[in-house]
Amino acid sequence: MNESQRNAWERHADRLLVEVPHAELSTSVADDAHVDWAATFGRTAPLIVEIGSGTGDSLVPMAADRPESDVVAFEVFEPAVASTLSRINRAGIDNVRIVVSDGTQGLAKLFDDGAISELWTFFADPWHKKRHHKRRLVDTDFAALVTAKLAPGGLWRLATDWEDYALWMREHLDAAPGLVNVHGGWAPRLEARPVTKFEARGLAAGRRIFDLTYRRADAAQA
Ligand SMILES: C[S@@+](CC[C@H](N)C(=O)[O-])C[C@H]1O[C@@H](n2cnc3c(N)ncnc32)[C@H](O)[C@@H]1O
């Protein structure tokens, strides 16, 4: 971390980071971890989760646009978290908390089934090459986990600048029981999503940006 990131961590971590017990790895989440989100936010509100929030470039403006919701972001890279802390502070918002842990484990262990109104995974992992497909965040098991955690009617919004990964997402998520592709194909670019440096980098390299939105079917449809 640079000096300003260290300062941001010291000033804002107590208020904005949620500590969870870890298992063997420092980014893991222990099986018995539990967070009372209503107590954490001081209210009961729809819960949005972001996995891989980076420096908060989309997290913070999107949370600021949704004062009626609370947003829990998972990010494992501490310098990026520190930058996000300062950004949240500058925005003057109180509806975001960050967990410095793996988002898949956090989603599985820290939320009841049906507790999430939305999940955001925007440019969330770097494994765009086919030979790295085993490391990809999005796969059939992850889709089942997300489906369980979303409330009926809840939305999963995704974006990537890698066509191969976008097609992989379609292949796995279009086939996932209990998820409905809201647009029947690629989603229009989510207007509320600011262009982050990762999206700009993809565009500058001539890549197309792929947005997707899935909805958890209600019990009758599932
Ligand atoms: C390419 S960046 C994108 C950041 C942000 N979503 C944006 O669009 O600017 C991906 C981020 O996801 C984080 N990440 C990847 N997999 C993760 C996981 N399973 N849990 C938490 N963070 C993760 C990485 O550390 C990295 O900061």
Side-chain angles (χ1 to χ4, degrees):
M1 281 193 225
N2 62 33
E3 197 184 333
S4 80
Q5 289 168 330
R6 266 197 305 277
N7 287 340
W9 195 282
E10 273 163 30
R11 290 179 56 204
H12 309 302
D14 278 354
R15 180 171 74 91
L16 297 174
L17 295 190
V18 175
E19 297 286 343
V20 295
H22 301 295
E24 56 290 346
L25 290 178
S26 64
T27 55
S28 63
V29 178
D31 285 343
D32 60 352
H34 172 78
V35 176
D36 179 342
W37 295 111
T40 300
F41 286 104
R43 65 174 183 171
T44 301
L47 279 175
I48 298 173
V49 172
E50 176 164 32
I51 295 182
S53 49
T55 49
D57 297 11
S58 40
L59 168 70
V60 176
M62 288 179 71
D65 280 349
R66 290 164 176 73
E68 72 292 345
S69 295
D70 290 327
V71 187
V72 179
F74 290 89
E75 174 54 60
V76 289
F77 186 51
E78 291 190 356
V81 171
S83 301
T84 308
L85 295 177
S86 333
R87 202 178 282 259
I88 296 169
N89 182 58
R90 283 201 304 275
I93 55 175
D94 195 36
N95 64 334
V96 182
R97 295 294 183 278
I98 303 179
V99 185
V100 186
S101 291
D102 174 74
T104 303
Q105 294 186 35
L107 186 63
K109 295 172 187 175
L110 302 178
F111 298 89
D112 293 336
D113 285 356
I116 307 293
S117 66
E118 285 193 31
L119 175 71
W120 300 339
T121 53
F122 302 140
F123 309 93
D125 74 75
W127 308 114
H128 59 86
K129 292 188 180 143
K130 216 163 203 156
R131 69 191 146 95
H132 289 143
H133 64 90
K134 285 206 178 87
R135 301 186 188 188
R136 287 176 171 175
L137 175 70
V138 177
D139 64 12
T140 300
D141 288 347
F142 186 65
L145 171 66
V146 174
T147 307
K149 298 300 170 181
L150 280 175
L155 297 176
W156 181 6
R157 302 183 186 280
L158 308 95
T160 181
D161 56 332
W162 294 102
E163 183 173 13
D164 183 68
Y165 200 176
L167 291 168
W168 165 278
M169 290 172 178
R170 283 286 302 278
E171 184 187 324
H172 288 77
L173 304 189
D174 285 359
L179 286 181
V180 176
N181 184 329
V182 172
H183 299 277
W186 307 116
R189 189 184 186 288
L190 181 62
E191 265 185 45
R193 185 170 59 70
V195 178
T196 68
K197 74 175 175 202
F198 295 98
E199 178 166 359
R201 198 180 286 170
L203 289 168
R207 291 194 291 275
R208 176 181 162 191
I209 307 301
F210 297 88
D211 276 70
L212 284 166
T213 306
Y214 288 84
R215 187 182 64 240
R216 188 189 140 174
D218 61 36
Q221 290 171 293

